[in-house]
Amino acid sequence: YVQTRGGQALLLWRNGPAVVIGRHQNPWRECNLKLMRERGVQLSRRRSGGGTVYHDLGNINLTFFTSRQGYDRRGNLELLISALKGIRPHLDVMATDRHDLLLNRAFKISGTASKIGRTSAYHHCTLLCNSDRSTLSSVLQSPHQGLKTNATPSTPARVKNLCEEDPTLTCDVLMEAIAAEYAKRHGLRGQIMLIDPRDDLLLPGIGKFTQELKSWEWTYGRTPKFSISHLFSLHHDVNEEEVKLNMSINHGRIESCSIEVFSEWLPSTMCDQLASDLIGNRFCPTETMVLASAHLRICSVDNELHNRWNALCEQVMAIM
């Protein structure tokens, strides 16, 4: 953390595996939520706009805090380029018109987002140092094909870690170079500090903001309205049974739902009842599992029906 006398500041930070979506994005379109739950990758929604990014401890996050008048994304990126070239002059790094950073004019190493308030502003960006690119590419791949939404889409790009270009570059080396460049440009000495992001005295209100940003209502409930049309097959003996699922979701809750089975494989009354019960509930596997379990108790005496119902509910929860 580096703070100037005029109230400007640069915060450099890292965190465990997480996918961070922009304020106006749809997480079901931007990432693979099922895979993220299996791998323990967290989901967060920023207050700022922009696209989806993957964070882990091999990625550096930078936030430039300024007044509204002092807001300068291009200048911040030039600072980063100067810091990189100052320690490794051979690096070919450039800023794009989208305010990303490219390595060798081909690989994205930094994405950017910002928020401008009435009197203040912040610009933040990532910097890939030694991130897990395999996890990055897999969790940022949505499995949904029939999803319709007007939410802001991300722009896919080829990425590369700086350590792949120069193995001597570590997160510590990069953070020290960036902090030093920022301090030099602002004429600072000794103002580089290590801070605890949970410190409410140093960062008043941080606890309240943290709880709000962790809430389901913010992370999922702020998703713009969308719909899903999904056709899937369920294997039964030597046959495949087709099921069509249609849902509309608003503020993260199911507004309408229909489940259609194209045979007598499952009683239509059961499918209609589940679809009806889902309306008003969160579009999430946890609440759906509770409803599905209640229906399973009804057909518990019929093992075959029980297995078919379980297979259907697993498919429904898999898209959430």
Side-chain angles (χ1 to χ4, degrees), residues 47-100:
R47 288 185 177 274
S48 57
T52 298
V53 291
Y54 171 74
H55 291 184
D56 62 17
L57 291 175
N59 169 72
I60 300 169
N61 302 291
L62 307 96
T63 306
F64 295 86
F65 295 96
T66 64
S67 64
R68 183 186 177 98
Q69 292 75 18
Y71 173 77
D72 182 7
R73 281 198 294 184
R74 175 64 64 169
N76 295 336
L77 295 179
E78 289 173 356
L79 184 152
L80 292 183
I81 293 172
S82 294
L84 290 171
K85 287 186 172 293
I87 55 173
R88 301 294 186 271
H90 64 278
L91 290 176
D92 179 8
V93 181
M94 63 170 288
T96 70
D97 292 339
R98 294 176 53 85
H99 297 107
D100 298 328

Side-chain angles (χ1 to χ4, degrees), residues 29-33 35 136-144:
R29 181 169 75 173
E30 297 298 329
C31 50
N32 190 326
L33 292 170
L35 182 62
L136 182 155
S137 61
S138 58
V139 299
L140 295 187
Q141 188 109 22
S142 171
H144 293 300

